[in-house]
Amino acid sequence: MSSTSINVDRLNQYLLGSFAEARTEARERVKDTRLHKIEGQVLADQRQHVFNNLKILVEQDAISRAFPTELGGRDDHGGNISAFEELVIADPSMQIKAGVQWGLFGSAVLHLGTEEHHRKWIPQIISLELPGAFAMTEAGHGSDVASIGTTATYDEDAEEFVIHTPFRAAWKDYLGNAALHGRAATVFAQLITKGVNHGVHCFMVPIRDEDGNLLPGVGAEDDGVKGGLNGIDNGMLHFTNVRIPRTNLLNRYGDVATDGTYSSSIDSPGRRFFTMISTLVQGRVSLDGASIAASKVGLGIAVTYANQRRQFAAAGNREQLLLDYGRHQRRLIPLLAKAYAGTFAHDELLLKFDAVFSGREDNDEARQDLETLAAALKPVSTWDAMDTLQECREACGGAGFMAENRLTSLRADLDIYTTFEGDNNVLLQLVGKRLLTEFAGQLKGMEPLGLATFAAKSLAENFYSHSGLRNVVQDALDTASERRTAKNLKDPQVQHALLSARVRMAVEEIAKALNAVRKASPGDQADVFNQHQNSLVLASKAHARLLQWEAFTRAIEAFEEKHGDSWDGTAQVLTWVRDVFALTVIEEELGWYMMHGLISPHRGRTLTEYLDRLITRLRPHAQDLVDAFGYTQEHYRAPISSGREQERQDEAHAYYEKLRKDPDAPVSEKTLRAKEKAAK
Amino acid sequence: MSSTSINVDRLNQYLLGSFAEARTEARERVKDTRLHKIEGQVLADQRQHVFNNLKILVEQDAISRAFPTELGGRDDHGGNISAFEELVIADPSMQIKAGVQWGLFGSAVLHLGTEEHHRKWIPQIISLELPGAFAMTEAGHGSDVASIGTTATYDEDAEEFVIHTPFRAAWKDYLGNAALHGRAATVFAQLITKGVNHGVHCFMVPIRDEDGNLLPGVGAEDDGVKGGLNGIDNGMLHFTNVRIPRTNLLNRYGDVATDGTYSSSIDSPGRRFFTMISTLVQGRVSLDGASIAASKVGLGIAVTYANQRRQFAAAGNREQLLLDYGRHQRRLIPLLAKAYAGTFAHDELLLKFDAVFSGREDNDEARQDLETLAAALKPVSTWDAMDTLQECREACGGAGFMAENRLTSLRADLDIYTTFEGDNNVLLQLVGKRLLTEFAGQLKGMEPLGLATFAAKSLAENFYSHSGLRNVVQDALDTASERRTAKNLKDPQVQHALLSARVRMAVEEIAKALNAVRKASPGDQADVFNQHQNSLVLASKAHARLLQWEAFTRAIEAFEEKHGDSWDGTAQVLTWVRDVFALTVIEEELGWYMMHGLISPHRGRTLTEYLDRLITRLRPHAQDLVDAFGYTQEHYRAPISSGREQERQDEAHAYYEKLRKDPDAPVSEKTLRAKEKAAK
């Protein structure tokens, strides 16, 4: 039907992104069968397997990119994350254990420590001679790091810090490397000196000797079996007056002199805390990318299978391919579009991350933008990975449930990505607060028309008049012809207007509610905020979708610029994928759009019908679209996508064809009865 | 705020349902720690553990209720399923392995076999002397059982059937008891005699000798590690000309005489097939109940935790309880309402099942209704269980990911419930086809106004005029006052009108599209059906929600009738829960309702706001509502819901209170700076 086709190689190259070399190298590396997760191992064996594999990564110099050149690294931050993300394909436990050692423990020393710390510990960390835990989270405080209970009290006489766990809820928990392999930990604790608590700082604390025995005052417990990632020895740590040298304070942003005097380059304790914490943003950046990688592998497996697997006889013919079913297309193709959107947005996030961490663009605003971008994208990509892997698993039926076919295993391992490195809901609330702040800032810009005056007008009117959006959206919706509406729905301006209106109107609504109680008691203000917490989180999610859409659109433009030849249908197909993404996201909240007057009920139907048509149009390209991700059977390593299904289908088909031609083959009772009936 | 309260004991009694005695007995039984899943075992140990536990169930006479009294059972079908469902609480693998042995293998002999078979095998099956596999599904055919490839060809001379697997895709697969413990299998195969294929029939085929060696011609392979349910030895079976006595055909619905003559009490091969298959409906019935039980345990754990766990300082006070956050309420309380709806609908399903299987109401129509009801409810409850367990897991953060807290483990084990005993999407399509048939039947009833004339009118008009719905819905929506609209939204007639309109209008739309091509080629007709497959599945899901709502509403009425005392707020709270259920379901498809003119955009906002208010209103009752499910800590056995969290919170709170009163305690730098600033 469609003569448009994708140039798979070209698209594959493009999708590798801004750090293609590092990513390609890592994708080659993870083909190594030694690195692959072994399903069904007991805990101890899984942990040993993964620990051994970290050593292979060290041998292959696969993990040092982010460290400074003078310490054996390459100062390549974006490339490091790109390569790191691909480790998920071999074994998510290996990825996260590597993340603990080099991304968290190592990064804490690198970003929170100073030169002496770097010289002393970074080489040992890179070489895995010093395996370490990153002891931030406590049983009582996960996302609210500022409230942790562990204390580090300076003893002037001994020139030592005393690390102490004051109550059970202050036990450090869920720490990789804590139960077994860690010899030291970067411990976050309230720094107290001269009777003043200067807030959370990070300390290097030895925890085990060379034989693996816990040091005096250090307690550890094993978290045992988890829902996934069982190759990592997560555990708890607690400290009973454990003494460490003063110089073990990682003192980049705050220091204590021998006499106990505290000093910091950052005056405000709040800003100091956020500066320290923000050095750890790479965790979120990499989870975004790893989740998208896992989604792609899942989609690769499920789409390949659905293009070979047949079930239920089609009208008079061979059984029908799963992917030819309307429902099956509706289940998988929008997820495919989300994986594309995630890929392009992630590349922008990587570029931003690299700019900040390389120092090319390291300022407060850039850091804050990076934080917000990561906090917005990580929740949607980790949730998308859950939805995608689950839908892929169900789309493969019983075969999808077999561990050998990867889908359940990836899903179980990635589950925790939705709540670690920042609980998704907490992250989205952070984004929401930033959106509210920005909104308030914009309002200030248009004084004297303040928020109060603002509130008098109707929302929609307000919105349209300030954004200049009115014409675009209204044109799209007021037109009498449904076809014209469909045409409008593929207009990027219309898509953008709708997606951004979703965010802006929600934020405006919440801002007004908050403004109305700005003179009320803090308790009442908190109540009003709480009443709108759910809407704010949903608005932030919509904001993330908008960011993905914008990245997708920019990527298509850049692709067209690069490969402008008109015979190549790739950009055309990509545009359809982008349209499916936009309309899927809008359809998921169609009620919201209608309630806010952005889409009329009459036109809502057009959207759903047009989305159906687009999905049908993409069906012939589904295989190319997953192939273009660049993963091969060595990455999928799932028997169901290996071509085995095709062989079986062909064998069964040949058997029935032979029977059909064989005059002695049994006839079916149904056929006989039909003939008898006809004869009567 | 609210003085309304729940009588937890009374509600608990009520929720136990129509087979309370059997359910209570089973809930006591599953407290036995020997029966509990052990996390982290290797495959072989898990399988042995579960097999041993089946023997405990036999010793306790826990599994024979459904069998005839004269063979050692109790002829108690509803009670049997109720008790069986509760096994999921101890270990889903034990539940499903018991289901394989007694629910599938045993039921096949009971329902498809005749007296001789019963006498010969049922006692051995009950006692587990004869462990067996239920060999229906093949690698190539899961949901489409009619198309399986295995053949059973009658050999008149030997008076034997020859069981044969003609190609790789016809290997039996995913069978519990196949890899290890099965000594026989009830094998579904195409029955061929005298050159005629009479379609799928079931045969008792010995597969292993007493020492566990495979019999000649029988091949078996192990499915290995799965995404869950690893206590079951799922595997493949294939047969190379395996000979069994003629009398091993389970011949209740079709028999072959010694001379090879086929006979059946059911003339039509199609109806015969569906009659045989329909005897297996109890699998679906029990998965519906087991999924709801698992959801309740998940909610019990997550709600209890959220009522003890605090995070982030509230305005000037102690940290805030998780369940006091608006977002947290929005995440959990609608799922709680779905678990209630599921419970009441399931009880009606159990009653229907019991009526049919006890013979009290065993006729074609009742069987068909039971089939449809099970096919509608099982998909929504299994999907709800996935959503619920995942949301509960995320709502408990890192602690939710620890296997000891049950949530990930239950989720992994129950994942396959969405595609076994009928893939959810396939089941919903069956329901959809039934809805289309019923719709066509109704139209016939109102001739001469046929489908063609019908099509000329607008959908909404059509719908309203035929259903008498117009006034109810329009009144609710046309009113000028938003408060009145909210009032209307809690009117059960309005809820019912909206939920049923959702189904009926969608079915009508699809029926019209199909009617428009009724004279086209089969291929074109199939294309049009395929284009509407997604809408049909969604309509069937909406139909299931309607059935749940109706059951919920009937249950409240019955509760009120039983406990009419006005001082008891239970019925009032239940009504709010029912309202949350209805409005949640409607809100999830608000776009659809608006597009079809059933809810105006202006009023849609009222719905969301009213739902928010209802959720807030239920918040104080959340603990009572989960407690009323009747599960205790012995069922939850999750450290996070054990009260441990409360102890830790109290300990931490006491520590900070002590510091607050201690003049020598460290002051925070933030406080100091604030004071300095104030002093200036």
Side-chain angles (χ1 to χ4, degrees):
Chain A
M1 235 170 53
S2 154
S3 62
T4 313
S5 74
I6 295 177
N7 185 323
V8 175
D9 289 339
R10 186 172 286 180
L11 181 55
N12 174 15
Q13 276 306 312
Y14 192 65
L15 292 175
L16 288 171
S18 301
F19 304 89
E21 175 262 330
R23 197 176 287 284
T24 304
E25 186 191 301
R27 286 193 182 179
E28 280 306 309
R29 172 166 298 112
V30 296
K31 291 179 180 174
D32 186 339
T33 53
R34 292 177 300 169
L35 301 180
H36 295 171
K37 180 176 180 183
I38 300 170
E39 300 294 343
Q41 282 189 309
V42 282
L43 213 55
D45 294 348
Q46 268 193 79
R47 288 170 170 185
Q48 193 56 47
H49 176 64
V50 168
F51 190 60
N52 293 345
N53 286 343
L54 291 203
K55 291 181 194 159
I56 295 178
L57 295 180
V58 172
E59 281 165 23
Q60 299 186 347
D61 189 24
I63 49 76
S64 65
R65 278 181 188 264
F67 292 101
T69 315
E70 63 272 25
L71 295 169
R74 299 191 228 176
D75 279 312
D76 175 8
H77 298 273
N80 178 61
I81 299 290
S82 301
F84 171 68
E85 291 162 0
E86 299 293 331
L87 298 183
V88 79
I89 307 303
D91 182 354
S93 284
M94 180 177 76
Q95 190 213 8
I96 299 303
K97 180 121 172 164
V100 168
Q101 174 68 12
W102 297 296
L104 292 171
F105 177 64
S107 284
V109 174
L110 181 64
H111 296 303
L112 302 178
T114 45
E115 228 187 311
E116 196 195 317
H117 301 129
H118 296 173
R119 271 199 310 273
K120 190 168 170 191
W121 291 315
I122 295 285
Q124 292 182 61
I125 291 173
I126 292 179
S127 70
L128 204 58
E129 281 165 86
L130 184 68
F134 179 77
M136 185 161 79
T137 294
E138 296 180 353
H141 288 97
S143 294
D144 183 6
V145 178
S147 299
I148 56 170
T150 305
T151 52
T153 311
Y154 185 63
D155 174 347
E156 294 171 27
D157 299 331
E159 296 188 8
E160 287 172 338
F161 282 102
V162 181
I163 308 291
H164 188 67
T165 308
F167 46 80
R168 181 59 186 77
W171 282 29
K172 299 293 178 183
D173 203 355
Y174 317 123
L175 321 174
N177 274 342
L180 213 58
H181 297 129
R183 297 256 308 284
T186 45
V187 176
F188 288 76
Q190 307 285 348
L191 188 159
I192 298 164
T193 180
K194 293 186 178 293
V196 177
N197 181 342
H198 292 277
V200 175
H201 288 65
C202 186
F203 302 82
M204 173 67 87
V205 182
I207 58 169
R208 283 191 180 87
D209 65 20
E210 300 218 343
D211 300 324
N213 302 309
L214 287 169
L215 294 174
V218 179
E221 278 191 32
D222 197 320
D223 279 331
V225 184
K226 304 185 297 293
L229 293 186
N230 280 305
I232 308 173
D233 57 327
N234 291 83
M236 306 168 222
L237 289 177
H238 54 95
F239 306 93
T240 309
N241 296 315
V242 171
R243 289 180 166 267
I244 55 167
R246 180 186 65 93
T247 51
N248 276 25
L249 164 64
L250 300 175
N251 60 347
R252 178 164 168 197
Y253 295 108
D255 202 5
V256 171
T258 46
D259 71 351
T261 309
Y262 180 82
S263 62
S264 169
S265 57
I266 305 172
D267 221 40
S268 148
R271 235 191 98 224
R272 190 189 312 140
F273 172 71
F274 285 110
T275 305
M276 284 196 250
I277 293 296
S278 78
T279 62
L280 305 167
V281 69
Q282 65 180 338
R284 289 171 195 170
V285 175
S286 63
L287 295 188
D288 182 54
S291 302
I292 295 162
S295 291
K296 287 172 178 172
V297 166
L299 287 162
I301 293 168
V303 167
T304 303
Y305 183 65
N307 267 326
Q308 297 179 7
R309 172 80 171 180
R310 293 169 182 274
Q311 202 73 181
F312 290 102
N317 252 312
R318 268 187 90 164
E319 288 173 298
Q320 187 165 313
L321 285 171
L322 293 190
L323 203 54
D324 284 334
Y325 284 101
R327 173 74 175 160
H328 217 79
Q329 292 163 18
R330 258 282 183 176
R331 291 166 72 187
L332 294 180
I333 290 175
L335 294 169
L336 189 52
K338 285 182 177 173
Y340 266 85
T343 301
F344 295 123
H346 180 64
D347 198 57
E348 295 194 352
L349 177 59
L350 274 180
L351 282 170
K352 185 119 214 145
F353 170 77
D354 191 66
V356 170
F357 276 70
S358 69
R360 276 201 318 282
E361 196 193 329
D362 188 3
N363 54 58
D364 268 12
E365 203 193 328
R367 280 196 177 254
Q368 219 176 355
D369 284 352
L370 170 61
E371 279 278 324
T372 309
L373 191 58
L377 295 180
K378 179 260 183 185
V380 292
S381 55
T382 52
W383 276 329
D384 281 351
M386 288 296 94
D387 292 345
T388 301
L389 292 167
Q390 182 64 21
E391 197 65 60
C392 289
R393 147 30 216 141
E394 292 182 31
C396 295
F401 194 59
M402 302 297 113
E404 62 175 13
N405 290 321
R406 304 286 307 282
L407 301 164
T408 54
S409 176
L410 280 170
R411 196 208 166 281
D413 285 334
L414 268 79
D415 178 358
I416 190 65
Y417 290 28
T418 61
T419 53
F420 74 1
E421 297 286 327
D423 178 290
N424 281 356
N425 283 291
V426 176
L427 290 180
L428 288 176
Q429 181 171 298
L430 284 179
V431 173
K433 285 184 173 171
R434 177 88 191 262
L435 291 172
L436 283 170
T437 309
E438 277 191 3
F439 180 78
Q442 281 180 37
L443 285 190
K444 268 181 203 153
M446 43 171 114
E447 295 284 23
L449 181 74
L451 202 46
T453 332
F454 228 92
K457 294 195 179 189
S458 89
L459 273 179
E461 199 186 327
N462 224 333
F463 173 69
Y464 290 134
S465 55
H466 290 300
S467 64
L469 190 66
R470 178 170 211 112
N471 291 342
V472 181
V473 180
Q474 291 303 90
D475 278 1
L477 305 174
D478 291 346
T479 173
S481 146
E482 293 237 337
R483 277 203 68 169
R484 266 196 62 201
T485 311
K487 225 176 203 167
N488 275 309
L489 286 171
K490 69 181 179 187
D491 179 343
Q493 276 190 287
V494 173
Q495 291 176 11
H496 186 259
L498 288 168
L499 292 168
S500 55
R502 167 68 184 90
V503 184
R504 199 185 151 103
M505 286 174 75
V507 170
E508 183 172 330
E509 223 172 290
I510 299 162
K512 276 181 190 162
L514 293 174
N515 189 55
V517 292
R518 71 190 181 285
K519 290 176 183 165
S521 73
D524 287 350
Q525 286 190 35
D527 281 349
V528 171
F529 184 83
N530 201 29
Q531 279 160 26
H532 290 84
Q533 190 192 29
N534 190 57
S535 320
L536 186 63
V537 167
L538 298 182
S540 301
K541 212 172 145 189
H543 178 65
R545 294 301 188 194
L546 170 65
L547 295 173
Q548 289 183 318
W549 182 93
E550 288 175 343
F552 202 149
T553 302
R554 279 191 287 269
I556 295 173
E557 284 164 10
F559 185 87
E560 277 176 331
E561 216 163 278
K562 197 172 170 191
H563 307 289
D565 34 1
S566 58
W567 55 265
D568 186 346
T570 309
Q572 175 61 70
V573 176
L574 275 183
T575 304
W576 294 336
V577 176
R578 195 270 324 269
D579 294 349
V580 165
F581 173 73
L583 301 184
T584 296
V585 165
I586 293 169
E587 194 192 51
E588 284 170 354
E589 296 201 281
L590 203 46
W592 198 98
Y593 282 95
M594 290 183 185
M595 286 193 298
H596 291 78
L598 291 168
I599 295 180
S600 76
H602 276 310
R603 303 302 174 223
R605 295 177 70 111
T606 311
L607 185 141
T608 288
E609 285 161 16
Y610 183 53
L611 179 53
D612 280 336
R613 285 213 301 280
L614 276 175
I615 288 170
T616 310
R617 198 183 292 162
L618 281 179
R619 189 265 169 267
H621 304 289
Q623 192 68 48
D624 282 351
L625 285 167
V626 295
D627 290 347
F629 289 147
Y631 293 112
T632 64
Q633 291 301 330
E634 287 162 285
H635 298 110
Y636 295 154
R637 53 182 203 276
I640 38 168
S641 70
S642 65
R644 181 188 80 175
E645 183 63 25
Q646 189 63 52
E647 277 171 35
R648 290 184 185 173
Q649 293 287 343
D650 292 345
E651 185 200 0
H653 185 61
Y655 168 83
Y656 287 115
E657 282 300 297
K658 204 178 145 205
L659 279 190
R660 205 159 288 142
K661 289 172 192 157
D662 180 356
D664 297 331
V667 290
S668 87
E669 185 187 334
K670 272 190 188 172
T671 314
L672 274 186
R673 284 174 184 269
K675 276 187 192 164
E676 279 168 23
K677 210 175 165 186
K680 272 175 199 168
Chain B
M1 234 171 52
S2 154
S3 62
T4 312
S5 73
I6 294 177
N7 185 324
V8 175
D9 288 338
R10 187 172 286 181
L11 181 55
N12 173 16
Q13 276 305 312
Y14 193 65
L15 292 175
L16 287 171
S18 302
F19 303 90
E21 174 262 329
R23 196 176 288 284
T24 304
E25 185 191 301
R27 285 193 183 179
E28 280 305 309
R29 172 166 296 113
V30 296
K31 291 178 180 175
D32 185 340
T33 53
R34 293 177 300 169
L35 300 179
H36 294 171
K37 181 176 179 182
I38 300 170
E39 300 295 342
Q41 283 190 308
V42 282
L43 213 55
D45 294 348
Q46 270 193 78
R47 288 170 171 186
Q48 193 57 49
H49 176 64
V50 168
F51 190 60
N52 293 345
N53 285 343
L54 290 203
K55 290 181 195 159
I56 295 178
L57 295 180
V58 172
E59 281 164 24
Q60 300 187 345
D61 189 23
I63 48 76
S64 64
R65 279 181 189 266
F67 292 101
T69 315
E70 62 271 24
L71 295 169
R74 299 191 229 176
D75 280 310
D76 175 8
H77 298 272
N80 177 63
I81 298 291
S82 300
F84 171 69
E85 291 163 0
E86 299 292 331
L87 298 183
V88 79
I89 307 302
D91 182 352
S93 284
M94 181 177 76
Q95 191 213 7
I96 299 303
K97 180 123 171 162
V100 168
Q101 174 68 13
W102 298 295
L104 292 170
F105 177 63
S107 284
V109 175
L110 181 64
H111 297 302
L112 302 177
T114 44
E115 228 186 310
E116 196 194 317
H117 302 129
H118 296 173
R119 272 200 308 273
K120 189 168 169 188
W121 291 315
I122 295 285
Q124 291 183 62
I125 290 172
I126 290 179
S127 70
L128 204 60
E129 281 166 86
L130 183 68
F134 180 78
M136 185 161 80
T137 294
E138 296 181 353
H141 288 96
S143 295
D144 183 8
V145 178
S147 300
I148 55 170
T150 305
T151 51
T153 311
Y154 186 63
D155 175 345
E156 294 169 27
D157 299 330
E159 296 188 8
E160 287 174 336
F161 282 102
V162 181
I163 308 291
H164 188 66
T165 308
F167 45 81
R168 181 59 187 76
W171 282 29
K172 298 294 177 182
D173 202 355
Y174 316 123
L175 322 174
N177 275 340
L180 214 57
H181 298 130
R183 297 256 308 284
T186 44
V187 176
F188 287 77
Q190 307 284 348
L191 188 159
I192 297 163
T193 180
K194 292 186 177 294
V196 177
N197 181 343
H198 292 277
V200 175
H201 288 65
C202 186
F203 303 83
M204 174 66 88
V205 183
I207 58 169
R208 283 190 180 87
D209 64 21
E210 300 218 343
D211 301 324
N213 303 307
L214 287 168
L215 295 173
V218 179
E221 278 191 31
D222 196 321
D223 279 330
V225 185
K226 304 184 296 291
L229 292 187
N230 280 305
I232 308 172
D233 57 327
N234 292 83
M236 305 168 223
L237 290 176
H238 54 95
F239 306 93
T240 309
N241 297 315
V242 171
R243 289 182 167 265
I244 54 167
R246 180 187 66 94
T247 52
N248 277 24
L249 164 64
L250 300 175
N251 59 347
R252 176 164 170 198
Y253 296 108
D255 201 5
V256 171
T258 47
D259 70 350
T261 310
Y262 180 83
S263 63
S264 169
S265 57
I266 305 173
D267 220 41
S268 147
R271 236 191 96 222
R272 190 189 311 141
F273 172 71
F274 285 110
T275 304
M276 284 196 252
I277 294 297
S278 77
T279 60
L280 306 166
V281 70
Q282 65 179 340
R284 289 172 195 168
V285 175
S286 63
L287 294 188
D288 182 53
S291 302
I292 295 161
S295 291
K296 287 172 178 172
V297 166
L299 287 163
I301 293 168
V303 167
T304 304
Y305 183 64
N307 267 326
Q308 298 179 6
R309 173 81 172 177
R310 293 167 183 275
Q311 203 73 181
F312 290 103
N317 252 314
R318 269 187 90 165
E319 289 173 296
Q320 185 163 315
L321 286 172
L322 293 190
L323 202 54
D324 284 333
Y325 285 102
R327 173 73 174 160
H328 216 79
Q329 291 163 18
R330 257 282 182 178
R331 290 165 74 187
L332 294 180
I333 290 176
L335 294 169
L336 189 52
K338 284 181 178 173
Y340 267 84
T343 301
F344 295 122
H346 180 64
D347 198 57
E348 295 194 352
L349 177 59
L350 273 180
L351 283 171
K352 184 119 214 144
F353 170 77
D354 191 65
V356 169
F357 276 70
S358 67
R360 275 203 317 283
E361 195 193 329
D362 187 5
N363 54 58
D364 268 12
E365 203 192 328
R367 281 198 175 253
Q368 220 176 355
D369 284 352
L370 170 62
E371 279 278 322
T372 308
L373 190 59
L377 295 180
K378 179 259 184 184
V380 291
S381 55
T382 52
W383 276 329
D384 282 349
M386 289 295 94
D387 293 344
T388 301
L389 292 167
Q390 182 64 21
E391 197 65 61
C392 289
R393 146 33 215 141
E394 292 182 32
C396 296
F401 194 58
M402 301 299 114
E404 62 176 14
N405 290 322
R406 305 284 307 283
L407 301 164
T408 54
S409 176
L410 279 171
R411 197 208 166 282
D413 285 334
L414 268 77
D415 179 358
I416 190 65
Y417 290 27
T418 62
T419 53
F420 73 2
E421 297 287 327
D423 177 290
N424 282 356
N425 283 291
V426 176
L427 290 180
L428 288 176
Q429 182 171 299
L430 284 181
V431 174
K433 286 185 172 170
R434 176 87 190 263
L435 290 172
L436 284 169
T437 309
E438 276 191 6
F439 180 77
Q442 281 179 35
L443 285 190
K444 268 182 203 152
M446 47 170 112
E447 295 284 20
L449 182 75
L451 203 45
T453 332
F454 228 91
K457 296 194 177 188
S458 88
L459 274 179
E461 199 185 327
N462 223 334
F463 172 69
Y464 291 134
S465 54
H466 289 302
S467 64
L469 192 65
R470 177 168 214 115
N471 292 341
V472 181
V473 180
Q474 290 303 91
D475 278 1
L477 304 173
D478 291 346
T479 173
S481 146
E482 293 237 338
R483 277 203 68 172
R484 265 197 61 201
T485 310
K487 225 176 205 167
N488 274 310
L489 286 171
K490 68 182 178 186
D491 180 343
Q493 275 190 288
V494 173
Q495 292 176 11
H496 187 258
L498 288 168
L499 292 168
S500 56
R502 167 68 184 89
V503 184
R504 199 184 151 104
M505 287 174 75
V507 170
E508 182 172 330
E509 223 172 292
I510 299 162
K512 276 180 190 163
L514 293 174
N515 190 54
V517 293
R518 71 191 182 284
K519 288 177 183 166
S521 72
D524 287 350
Q525 287 191 32
D527 282 349
V528 171
F529 183 84
N530 201 28
Q531 281 161 25
H532 291 83
Q533 190 192 27
N534 190 57
S535 321
L536 186 63
V537 167
L538 298 182
S540 301
K541 212 172 144 189
H543 177 65
R545 293 301 187 192
L546 170 65
L547 296 174
Q548 289 183 317
W549 183 92
E550 288 175 342
F552 203 149
T553 301
R554 278 190 288 266
I556 294 173
E557 284 163 8
F559 185 88
E560 279 176 330
E561 215 163 281
K562 198 172 167 189
H563 307 289
D565 34 2
S566 57
W567 54 264
D568 185 347
T570 309
Q572 176 60 72
V573 177
L574 275 183
T575 304
W576 294 336
V577 176
R578 194 271 322 271
D579 293 349
V580 166
F581 173 73
L583 300 184
T584 296
V585 164
I586 293 169
E587 194 192 50
E588 283 170 355
E589 296 202 281
L590 203 46
W592 198 99
Y593 282 95
M594 290 184 186
M595 287 194 298
H596 291 79
L598 291 168
I599 295 180
S600 77
H602 277 308
R603 303 301 173 223
R605 295 177 70 111
T606 310
L607 185 141
T608 288
E609 286 160 16
Y610 183 53
L611 179 53
D612 281 335
R613 286 212 302 280
L614 275 175
I615 288 170
T616 310
R617 196 183 296 162
L618 281 180
R619 189 266 169 264
H621 304 288
Q623 192 67 51
D624 281 351
L625 285 167
V626 295
D627 289 347
F629 289 147
Y631 293 111
T632 64
Q633 291 300 330
E634 289 162 284
H635 297 112
Y636 296 154
R637 52 181 203 277
I640 38 168
S641 70
S642 65
R644 183 188 79 176
E645 183 63 25
Q646 189 63 52
E647 279 171 35
R648 290 185 185 173
Q649 293 286 345
D650 292 344
E651 185 200 0
H653 185 60
Y655 168 83
Y656 287 116
E657 282 299 299
K658 204 177 146 206
L659 279 191
R660 206 160 288 142
K661 290 173 193 156
D662 180 358
D664 297 331
V667 291
S668 86
E669 185 188 335
K670 272 190 187 172
T671 313
L672 275 185
R673 284 174 183 267
K675 276 187 192 163
E676 279 168 22
K677 212 174 164 187
K680 271 177 199 168

